[in-house]
Amino acid sequence: MDYSRALYRAPFVVPGNGPLIVDGAVLTEGGLVAAVGAYADLKDVEARREEYDAQVITPALVNCHAHLELSPLAGLTGEAPEPGDLTGWIRGLLAARAENSELEAVYDAARMALARLYAGGCRAVADIGNRPESRLLGEGFKTEVFFFLELLGLCGASEESALAALSGIEVEVCCTAHAPYSVGPALMRALKKRAGGRLFPLHVAESAQESEFLRTGGGPLSDFLGERGVEVAAFTVPGMGSVRYLDSLGVLDERTLCVHAVHVEDEEIALLAARGAAVCLCPGSNRFMGVGIAPGQKMLAHGIPLVLGTDSLASNPHLSLWREMQLLREDHPDLPPEAVFAMASSNGARLLGLADRLGVVAPGVCSSLPVVRCPVKNEAEVFDYLTSAGTDIQLEWLE
Ligand SMILES: [Zn+2]
C-alpha cells in the first residue's frame, strides 16, 4: 500500500473544466491532485482510500472582492441604509471606522473573517485595504490574500497628495483606485500605469448617486465630497456614465476588474466586452445597500469574464460565496447554474493568475478541496443545488 497517495471517492466530482463526473474519484499525492476521473477508471491504483456518501468534491472557491480591514464594522449591517443611499452608508462607515481604529482589534476581526472564508470553501481572496501592512494578513492562513492598497484623491490637493504618496509606496505593493467618483483622472491613470500587467480592481457604477455625480457634478455624492473638504468645483465633470468615463481615461482593459457594475448602460456593457474588462458581481452587498441589480445576464451574453465577491462585513452579513451564488440566481433565474459556479471558482482563479493551482479539480492543483454535503441523487440537480443552497451548504476539506 502506498500511503503517500490517497484516493477519494464521491457520488459526484465537479472538475470545473469539464462535465460533472458521476461516481467520481480524486487521486492525490504530495498535496496535489494527481488524477481525477470516474472511480471505475481509478479504482485499481495503489493508494489509501476514503469514500464519501452523499457528497460532492468541488474546486476551491475564489472571492474576488472583499475588504478585510472593514471586518470590525460588521455591526453596520444591523440596519440597512435607505435603499441606494451609498453616501449615507459611507458616512456611517467613516464614523464607525474612526471608533474602531485600534490596529490589533482590526486585524483580529480581519483574521476571523479570513477563517470564515476558509470555512466556506474559499482558498483565495482579492482584498482591498487602506493600510500597506494589511498585505501580510494572509500569512499562516490557507486562504491566500491578494492585497490591493486603495488610493483616493479626486482633484486639487487631495489628488496631488495621493499622487505624491503613490511614488513612495514600495513597488511590490499592488495599488488600485477606489472609484471614478473619488479618484481624479491623473491619479487614475497613474495607478493603472503602475499596475501594469497586474490586476486593477476598482468600484465602478455601484450606485445611482455615482452616475448622477459623474453625469451632472451634483447630487448627494457632490455634497458629501464637499463636506469632506474635497474641492468638488475643481473636478471636471465627465458628463457620462462610469464605464464610458473610465474608457475615456484609457484604463479599461483585460486586467481591469470593475466591481459592482450595477448602473451600466447597454452600450457600456458592449464597451466592457470590447475592452476585455472583467466584472465582479456582488449581489449580497448590492442587495443590502439597495443599489439595484447588476445586468449579469447581459454581461454573460456579451462574454464578459464574470467573478463573484462578497464585499465586506460592513455591507454583507455573510462572507459566503455560496450565498452570493444563491442571490445571483435569485436575481437572474435564467443564468445557467454551471456558469454561476464558474464565477465563484475557475473564473476567479484565472483572473488572479491561479488557474494552475486553484478553481478546478485537475492534475497539479492543490489537493485541499471542498467536500460538500449534497442531498440530491440526480446528476442534473447537482449544480442547481450548489448554486442555490446558500448558507445551508455544509462542507469539509478533502485534505
Ligand atoms: Zn468594495
Side-chain angles (χ1 to χ4, degrees), residues 118-343:
Y118 179 68
C122 173
R123 284 294 311 270
V125 54
D127 177 41
I128 311 289
N130 302 99
R131 306 171 197 259
E133 58 271 31
S134 296
R135 72 186 191 279
L136 305 176
L137 263 175
E139 283 186 350
F141 278 87
K142 283 189 169 177
T143 298
E144 293 180 53
V145 175
F146 291 79
F147 179 75
F148 298 87
L149 182 68
E150 170 187 78
L151 275 78
L152 296 90
L154 184 66
C155 52
S158 62
E159 188 178 18
E160 277 159 30
S161 70
L163 277 165
L166 182 62
S167 59
I169 297 168
E170 295 163 76
V171 174
E172 60 266 29
V173 179
C174 291
C175 293
T176 196
H178 172 251
Y181 64 82
S182 56
V183 172
L187 180 58
M188 185 71 79
R189 288 196 183 101
L191 284 162
K192 177 63 181 171
K193 186 170 176 223
R194 178 190 161 108
R198 297 187 282 190
L199 193 65
F200 187 63
L202 75 167
H203 303 91
V204 178
E206 180 174 358
S207 70
Q209 293 180 346
E210 172 177 333
S211 298
E212 182 182 8
F213 177 65
L214 292 180
R215 286 174 199 278
T216 70
L221 255 178
S222 174
D223 299 341
F224 168 73
L225 291 165
E227 279 168 34
R228 300 281 300 166
V230 178
E231 306 144 66
V232 187
F235 177 63
T236 305
V237 178
M240 59 183 87
S242 308
V243 171
R244 270 185 65 204
Y245 172 50
L246 289 173
D247 191 54
S248 77
L249 298 179
V251 300
L252 278 191
D253 62 28
E254 61 284 346
R255 297 307 291 154
T256 306
L257 176 60
C258 298
V259 180
H260 294 288
V262 176
H263 295 270
V264 291
E265 295 175 343
D266 286 355
E267 66 173 271
E268 291 185 306
I269 295 173
L271 192 52
L272 287 167
R275 299 291 180 255
V279 167
C280 181
L281 301 170
C282 303
S285 176
N286 294 346
R287 193 176 287 201
F288 172 77
M289 302 289 289
V291 290
I293 293 171
Q297 182 97 38
K298 283 185 183 174
M299 290 173 177
L300 185 72
H302 274 78
I304 294 170
L306 298 177
V307 295
L308 287 182
T310 57
D311 220 332
S312 79
L313 283 171
S315 66
N316 188 343
H318 304 278
L319 282 185
S320 165
L321 288 161
W322 305 103
R323 184 168 179 273
E324 297 304 314
M325 289 189 258
Q326 177 188 43
L327 297 184
L328 185 65
R329 288 200 56 210
E330 283 178 18
D331 290 344
H332 302 284
D334 294 335
L335 277 178
E338 291 85 346
V340 172
F341 190 81
M343 293 177 202

